[in-house]
Amino acid sequence: MSEEKTHIVPYKTQVIVLFVLLILTGITVAVTRLEFGALNTLIAMLVAGIKATIVLAWYMHLKYEKRLLPMLVAGVVILFLLVLFVTFFDYSYR
Amino acid sequence: MESPTKPISYLDYKGEYKGILGWIFSTDHKRVGLLYLYTMLAFFSVGAILGLLMKIQLIAPGYTIMGPQTYNSLFTLHGIIMIFIIVVPGLPAVFGNFFLPIMIGAKDVAFPRINLLSWWLYAVGILIVLTSQFMGDGPPDTGWTFYAPYSFQTATNVLPAVFGAFVMGFSSILTGINFVVTIHRMRAPGMTWFKMPLFPWTLYGTAWIQILATPVIGITLLLIIAERTLGIGFFDPALGGDPILYQHLFWIYSHPAVYIMILPAMGVISEIIPVFSKKTIFGYKAIVLSTMAIAFVGYFVWGHHMFTSGMSGRALFAFSFLTFLVAIPSAIKVFNWVSTMHKGSLDLQTPFYWAVSFLFVFMIGGLTGLVLGSLATNVHLHDTHFVVAHFHFIVFGGTGFAFMGAVHYWFPKMFGRMYDANWANLGWGIFFIGFLALYLPMFYLGIMGMPRRYYDYLPEFHGGNIFSSLGAIVLIAGLMIIFINLVRSARHGTKISEKNPWGGTTLEWQVDTPPTLENFEEIPTITGKPYDYN
Amino acid sequence: MIEHRDDQGAKLGMWLFIFTELLLFGMLFVVYAVYRSMHPEAFRIAGEELDVTLGTINTVILLISSMTAAMSITAIQKGNKKLCLQLLGITILIAVIFLVNKYFEWGAKFEYGFYPGSPELHELGYGTILFFGLYFFMTGVHALHIIIGIGLFIYVALQVKKDKIHQTDHVWLENTGLYWHLVDLIWIFLFPLFYLIH
């Protein structure tokens, strides 16, 4: 039942992805030493989000899948963020 | 291979194991479904007897047959059995397993071995829960909600009960994964999404909730275990923890879990009503979309269980608003069902009786839900018998009636035998009367202020409680008639081999009775819509 | 009995399982967010107790293991069994090193008396108790997933060796890879939230 040929990711792409991830790790550690106040956490989460997206897209092959899976993953992330948001309806206003 | 002439029924098939082993090691989705059915019937009987004992205790104020500690552990066990063992796996595990593949034209679920594994996890979970009743410090007395901080302060055996529920959560997740993949990948050629029958559609919505909500209870129960064994302090005010956060986490699962219970019930009703009205279902797409809407919005209403626990005012308002929102798609469905019956040629048989009585009790349950969803009335009614009546109308009246309807609807297909319709109808009548007598007085008692979860009450509540307790006895009598009739008929009922005794239009009525091992000798190609009576 | 193979279906099943794991950890992140919003200062001070160097090393090697796991799939798709096994070996080795680092890290905390329910910890105030409770619980659950991952990789490597997993049938390897990347994903968020609080 193989409707489509599986995509083979070249080794080179995978090494490049690793380097990007390592650079981003370096950035997030370096940013900790700077003083941005509350922005620090935001930057850290933003960098982590970018790293996660890269892992999902390349290492977890979402880039090469049909549309269904990326949509489901996005849906789950949105669901989680909504739960977090609704929970803070309570904690932000106590 | 089997004999080339006639394919063999799944009931007669002899695999590599014989006797009971041929069942508990069978990966056939139909046998797994029946395994769940038998397990559930056994524990449902236990849960019902526990309920009856509680009602007998409440027939008069003060000590009748048990003291407070026994009463506390009885309602805990009653809750754990009825919620985690019966209604959460309930319809998907029994009728989903049995009929989902047949209704979408597949030979089995996507992962048959994982399907069997999920029954085993379920069985192991049950055994672990049961150990909590017999070990050292006495049965748990927390209620099925395991609220912090009491759940890590009480000396009773909370650990095995919590761990057992955790293991059953795994089973539920695996069933959910199996169903989603089955529906995505294994529909018969030509069966597009909007040609799929409604029971599979509701199972699809349910399966997503099982996947996306069950992990929440998983981690919450693990946190309770860690709290009890290591004293981390997450929910312990003495260590800075917030007990209300436990309630948030618990209800983030347990409210969607209510939809795990009720969505497949709505699916069953959507199957039964067109068949016995001999009419196409009214508003197929509206039912599908409202199913998915309930699954989604139902994820964000958990806070309405916590209106009096000290949440912020804005959270109260948001949750109350969302609760009213989720009532809309449920109401749409009720309109659809009633409209389907309108001008149909009604065929008054046992499954139809269950379906119509479902509509009645489900409406009462749903409308009283709105009473509880409003902030002002909730404060008055919170933790009273009004709540108990409301959720029994939804969970027992909704899911339970649909379950009974499903059993009577699909029984001939599953067993190749017919039950005695007169006894079945009599059982339904007695059960229905008992049900109303048992739960309707509780609304009144709740409004008057009788709190739930107490073994005792003030003398002015005596009248209502006598009525309610007698109702419980009537209900149990009806239940016994139904069960005895079904068990007898499964073994000795008149044999039928007719493929379509009710005149249904979905695929399960086009396969042999009882279904053959592989359901279909040839996978059918679907051209028309389901429920086509023209 | 009924034999059919559906790699797309198997992969979809694995993704659904990954969703459950995401929500499982997700709820722990909710707990974290709630308590950090209550005690921001205490979380910052407690976060400085953690060893950033060790945390960074673990982040880096886990990322490398993600790459070797992804590469092992490319290797099997190209029919290079030997390279595939070597890459799996490296992945398992890195996973073990991660756990060893973790062991020393936790050990150091225990020596200071920082462990759940310790009397020293209880004197330090609510924020610190909750921070270390979350730290041990979340990294503990994560470490449990690493251990399960090691078991899965050993099983998969044996299957590759026995040619049960090969060029045209490698969905088990792919799914194990997906699981491993999930473990990495979680760590990508755990690392800044515990070690790099500012």
Side-chain angles (χ1 to χ4, degrees):
Chain A
M1 267 215 253
S2 58
E3 295 121 48
E4 71 261 53
K5 276 179 78 81
T6 39
H7 190 280
I8 300 180
V9 190
Y11 297 120
K12 204 176 127 201
T13 315
Q14 288 165 336
V15 177
I16 294 172
V17 168
L18 176 67
F19 271 100
V20 174
L21 287 171
L22 290 180
I23 290 167
L24 286 170
T25 310
I27 291 175
T28 188
V29 175
V31 165
T32 321
R33 299 178 203 285
L34 303 172
E35 193 61 63
F36 291 122
L39 269 181
N40 273 86
T41 312
L42 198 69
I43 294 171
M45 284 299 98
L46 205 66
V47 175
I50 295 169
K51 282 167 77 180
T53 314
I54 292 173
V55 170
L56 282 164
W58 275 277
Y59 286 163
M60 297 174 93
H61 293 193
L62 276 189
K63 199 171 167 303
Y64 312 102
E65 298 283 353
K66 281 183 287 184
R67 228 180 37 208
L68 175 70
L69 275 180
M71 270 169 50
L72 292 182
V73 174
V76 170
V77 173
I78 291 170
L79 180 78
F80 167 71
L81 292 175
L82 280 175
V83 168
L84 193 64
F85 177 74
V86 174
T87 309
F88 271 85
F89 254 96
D90 178 8
Y91 286 96
S92 308
Y93 301 107
R94 279 236 188 119
Chain B
M1 288 302 291
E2 308 87 41
S3 67
T5 46
K6 192 174 182 331
I8 193 161
S9 131
Y10 81 102
L11 288 168
D12 302 327
Y13 173 72
K14 298 270 184 294
E16 52 181 314
Y17 302 105
K18 286 189 177 57
I20 193 171
L21 292 183
W23 286 81
I24 60 174
F25 292 124
S26 168
T27 57
D28 179 8
H29 67 101
K30 299 179 282 299
R31 290 198 171 197
V32 174
L34 286 188
L35 280 179
Y36 271 108
L37 178 65
Y38 297 144
T39 323
M40 270 173 213
L41 286 184
F43 281 93
F44 180 76
S45 314
V46 178
I49 290 167
L50 294 175
L52 180 66
L53 289 176
M54 281 189 281
K55 286 320 290 185
I56 293 175
Q57 159 61 27
L58 290 180
I59 205 162
Y63 187 105
T64 315
I65 54 168
M66 66 183 83
Q69 187 62 25
T70 317
Y71 188 81
N72 289 353
S73 43
L74 276 198
F75 72 64
T76 304
L77 187 61
H78 173 80
I80 294 174
I81 288 181
M82 290 306 200
I83 298 286
F84 292 113
I85 304 184
I86 313 294
V87 286
V88 166
L91 287 157
V94 178
F95 298 101
N97 265 324
F98 200 109
F99 286 107
L100 170 67
I102 304 182
M103 288 175 92
I104 63 170
K107 293 191 171 185
D108 206 321
V109 291
F111 311 114
R113 271 183 298 179
I114 291 182
N115 201 20
L116 177 64
L117 174 67
S118 78
W119 179 79
W120 273 96
L121 285 173
Y122 171 70
V124 170
I126 292 176
L127 288 181
I128 297 173
V129 168
L130 287 185
T131 57
S132 72
Q133 300 301 309
F134 306 110
M135 279 180 2
D137 304 311
D141 56 352
T142 57
W144 72 279
T145 50
F146 304 117
Y147 264 17
Y150 184 65
S151 55
F152 53 86
Q153 287 167 347
T154 174
T156 54
N157 294 322
V158 172
L159 272 185
V162 168
F163 187 64
F166 177 79
V167 174
M168 282 189 260
F170 258 100
S171 152
S172 182
I173 286 175
L174 292 180
T175 305
I177 291 177
N178 228 329
F179 285 3
V180 169
V181 177
T182 308
I183 291 173
H184 268 277
R185 304 288 307 168
M186 296 174 74
R187 277 170 290 134
M191 182 175 280
T192 55
W193 282 95
F194 284 108
K195 282 181 187 158
M196 192 161 74
L198 288 164
F199 184 53
W201 257 115
T202 52
L203 287 174
Y204 184 69
T206 309
W208 272 109
I209 308 176
Q210 285 177 309
I211 292 168
L212 296 176
T214 318
V216 181
I217 194 77
I219 197 68
T220 312
L221 295 176
L222 276 189
L223 285 169
I224 283 289
I225 292 174
E227 196 76 62
R228 267 187 86 90
T229 49
L230 304 170
I232 295 183
F234 289 137
F235 307 124
D236 186 353
L239 298 176
D242 179 17
I244 297 178
L245 185 58
Y246 173 83
Q247 298 187 15
H248 275 297
L249 293 174
F250 182 82
W251 290 111
I252 290 175
Y253 164 74
S254 296
H255 194 78
V258 175
Y259 296 104
I260 293 180
M261 305 165 197
I262 200 70
L263 277 181
M266 293 169 161
V268 169
I269 299 305
S270 307
E271 294 295 330
I272 293 177
I273 284 187
V275 171
F276 292 89
S277 306
K278 297 285 174 285
K279 207 165 147 256
T280 315
I281 186 102
F282 181 87
Y284 169 90
K285 272 195 184 164
I287 296 187
V288 170
L289 295 177
S290 60
T291 300
M292 299 318 277
I294 291 177
F296 180 72
V297 183
Y299 211 97
F300 301 100
V301 300
W302 74 81
H304 66 217
H305 296 268
M306 307 157 57
F307 280 163
T308 59
S309 60
M311 275 195 301
S312 78
R314 284 193 202 206
L316 293 178
F317 180 78
F319 281 123
S320 180
F321 174 74
L322 289 166
T323 303
F324 274 84
L325 217 56
V326 84
I328 297 170
S330 306
I332 289 176
K333 284 188 156 61
V334 174
F335 284 122
N336 281 316
W337 293 320
V338 175
S339 308
T340 305
M341 286 189 273
H342 179 65
K343 289 190 178 171
S345 65
L346 302 185
D347 183 10
L348 298 180
Q349 308 243 32
T350 322
F352 190 69
Y353 287 135
W354 284 108
V356 174
S357 47
F358 166 93
L359 286 185
F360 184 72
V361 290
F362 181 71
M363 286 226 298
I364 296 178
L367 292 172
T368 51
L370 291 180
V371 175
L372 290 168
S374 330
L375 292 172
T377 40
N378 182 283
V379 172
H380 177 70
L381 295 171
H382 203 95
D383 267 345
T384 66
H385 264 63
F386 192 90
V387 179
V388 182
H390 159 69
F391 74 69
H392 279 93
F393 260 88
I394 290 287
V395 176
F396 195 13
T399 312
F401 277 46
F403 196 99
M404 291 295 189
V407 174
H408 288 95
Y409 178 52
W410 280 312
F411 186 92
K413 180 60 73 183
M414 293 166 93
F415 295 99
R417 288 172 190 277
M418 194 59 200
Y419 50 84
D420 184 318
N422 291 330
W423 281 108
N425 291 342
L426 181 71
W428 166 79
I430 295 176
F431 181 93
F432 191 37
I433 293 167
F435 180 89
L436 295 178
L438 166 56
Y439 294 113
L440 279 178
M442 285 192 188
F443 284 122
Y444 168 76
L445 290 169
I447 294 171
M448 299 310 287
M450 178 178 165
R452 63 193 281 204
R453 292 187 168 176
Y454 283 82
Y455 89 116
D456 194 6
Y457 51 83
L458 296 172
E460 60 255 42
F461 301 132
H462 195 183
N465 273 298
I466 291 180
F467 206 85
S468 172
S469 296
L470 291 178
I473 294 167
V474 176
L475 180 138
I476 294 287
L479 211 54
M480 279 170 68
I481 296 176
I482 295 165
F483 276 8
I484 292 170
N485 184 30
L486 287 177
V487 171
R488 249 181 56 102
S489 308
R491 317 187 89 218
H492 310 293
T494 11
K495 276 203 168 188
I496 59 166
S497 54
E498 195 188 341
K499 281 186 181 176
N500 195 353
W502 309 120
T505 53
T506 37
L507 279 178
E508 79 269 32
W509 303 112
Q510 291 162 36
V511 300
D512 286 350
T513 300
T516 56
L517 185 65
E518 302 211 342
N519 306 338
F520 302 94
E521 297 321 303
E522 209 173 311
I523 297 291
T525 303
I526 312 300
T527 50
K529 288 183 172 297
Y531 320 111
D532 195 0
Y533 282 97
N534 300 321
Chain C
M1 240 169 63
I2 302 147
E3 282 300 329
H4 78 110
R5 190 181 136 205
D6 178 9
D7 288 353
Q8 287 291 316
K11 244 194 280 181
L12 177 59
M14 189 65 204
W15 272 101
L16 295 175
F17 178 71
I18 285 174
F19 294 163
T20 69
E21 292 276 19
L22 285 176
L23 280 152
L24 188 125
F25 278 100
M27 289 308 127
L28 289 173
F29 284 113
V30 169
V31 176
Y32 174 94
V34 166
Y35 288 141
R36 185 165 164 188
S37 77
M38 285 177 174
H39 312 278
E41 210 34 38
F43 266 54
R44 192 181 65 74
I45 295 166
E48 279 168 8
E49 297 290 323
L50 297 184
D51 190 335
V52 180
T53 322
L54 213 50
T56 312
I57 291 173
N58 265 353
T59 309
V60 170
I61 64 171
L62 207 55
L63 286 172
I64 296 173
S65 79
S66 246
M67 183 190 67
T68 54
M71 279 179 159
S72 74
I73 297 168
T74 307
I76 200 91
Q77 283 171 334
K78 291 188 173 175
N80 195 339
K81 180 178 162 187
K82 198 173 147 214
L83 182 62
C84 174
L85 281 172
Q86 283 167 346
L87 287 164
L88 286 177
I90 296 172
T91 313
I92 295 169
L93 186 69
I94 291 177
V96 173
I97 295 173
F98 183 96
L99 286 179
V100 171
N101 284 346
K102 196 96 255 165
Y103 171 78
F104 283 116
E105 205 188 329
W106 275 31
K109 295 284 164 303
F110 274 65
E111 254 171 58
Y112 289 125
F114 283 3
Y115 53 87
S118 81
E120 280 94 336
L121 195 57
H122 281 186
E123 282 166 18
L124 289 174
Y126 291 166
T128 319
I129 298 171
L130 291 169
F131 178 86
F132 279 101
L134 281 164
Y135 164 75
F136 281 110
F137 194 81
M138 289 174 82
T139 56
V141 176
H142 182 262
L144 187 69
H145 281 77
I146 300 256
I147 293 169
I148 295 169
I150 292 174
L152 282 172
F153 272 124
I154 290 174
Y155 172 77
V156 163
L158 289 175
Q159 299 297 308
V160 173
K161 210 165 178 201
K162 284 191 271 183
D163 283 321
K164 288 263 174 60
I165 293 174
H166 49 76
Q167 195 168 4
T168 51
D169 185 0
H170 48 70
V171 71
W172 260 93
L173 178 59
E174 271 185 79
N175 280 348
T176 309
L178 283 177
Y179 175 84
W180 193 248
H181 300 310
L182 162 83
V183 175
D184 194 14
L185 272 184
I186 303 297
W187 186 259
I188 286 176
F189 285 94
L190 285 179
F191 173 59
L193 286 177
F194 282 103
Y195 296 81
L196 304 176
I197 305 180
H198 196 80

